[in-house]
Amino acid sequence: KSIDPHLQEIRIEAYLKSGQTEKAGQDIETMQEKGVKDDVWINTKKEELLNVSTKLLQELKPLNELAASPKASDKTRIKAGRANLATGDNTKAIKNANNILDHNPKSSEAIALKVEALVAKGDTGLALDLLRQAQKAGVALQELELAPRTKAAVKSKLPEKQ
């Protein structure tokens, strides 16, 4: 799929502002490979990406430490999980979700977080298994807040009954 370079440029800015460094990096690399932007622009964006990544990682460390505490709230674990997901650390995002699902297997936020991380890792099969288990347990799948890309990856493979 080809995307309009101007739209991709806007998307990169949005990714950088929202801390989605992995997605920003992928789009910058794509633009560089296609040669649609000059080296000065590419290098400037790579430097911005590095600065945003460094800042996020500095902020993420204490948040991960808080979330790892046995006394951490589910809200803290979700926040840490989403931050890890945004920075591409899907393994830590899954761990945050699992820490919630261990005591609250019907947590729609934790299920959504884990599904997002599994799909981002390329484990769509495991994501579908989790969704099927959640559905059997009575979780309303249509109420899960999933990114459009994740919905597209799993929607057609799930049973209609929700």
Side-chain angles (χ1 to χ4, degrees):
K1 247 186 195 180
S2 184
I3 185 167
D4 176 84
H6 181 68
L7 180 60
Q8 197 164 24
E9 196 175 326
I10 292 168
R11 194 165 75 173
I12 289 168
E13 292 299 327
Y15 286 151
L16 288 171
K17 284 183 178 148
S18 64
Q20 297 182 63
T21 55
E22 184 177 29
K23 292 177 183 178
Q26 289 170 351
D27 275 5
I28 292 167
E29 291 300 319
T30 300
M31 290 186 86
Q32 184 175 20
E33 288 167 9
K34 291 183 178 179
V36 294
K37 294 300 275 184
D38 62 48
D39 287 344
V40 173
W41 187 91
I42 294 292
N43 290 334
T44 301
K45 289 301 156 196
K46 283 183 175 181
E47 190 173 323
E48 282 181 45
L49 176 62
L50 181 61
N51 291 338
V52 169
S53 296
T54 302
K55 183 179 178 206
L56 279 174
L57 291 173
Q58 288 171 345
E59 293 172 359
L60 195 52
K61 186 178 179 188
L63 183 58
N64 278 328
E65 289 170 0
L66 272 175
S69 163
K71 296 178 182 179
S73 69
D74 288 355
K75 185 177 179 177
T76 298
R77 289 184 173 134
I78 290 292
K79 185 176 179 181
R82 291 195 192 289
N84 284 309
L85 185 64
T87 59
D89 195 339
N90 302 314
T91 302
K92 281 187 183 169
I94 291 168
K95 186 176 181 179
N96 291 122
N98 284 339
N99 285 339
I100 296 167
L101 294 171
D102 286 345
H103 70 271
N104 184 2
K106 290 186 178 184
S107 168
S108 56
E109 281 186 298
I111 292 166
L113 173 61
K114 187 171 180 178
V115 167
E116 294 278 355
L118 287 168
V119 169
K121 266 182 86 169
D123 291 337
T124 306
L126 289 175
L128 288 166
D129 290 345
L130 175 61
L131 289 169
R132 287 184 190 107
Q133 288 171 355
Q135 191 175 40
K136 284 180 186 174
V139 175
L141 298 186
Q142 67 273 15
E143 292 177 17
L144 295 180
E145 293 184 26
L146 299 172
R149 183 185 304 185
T150 303
K151 282 183 187 177
V154 299
K155 187 173 182 177
S156 64
K157 297 172 181 112
L158 283 173
E160 288 301 312
K161 182 189 152 242
Q162 293 184 13

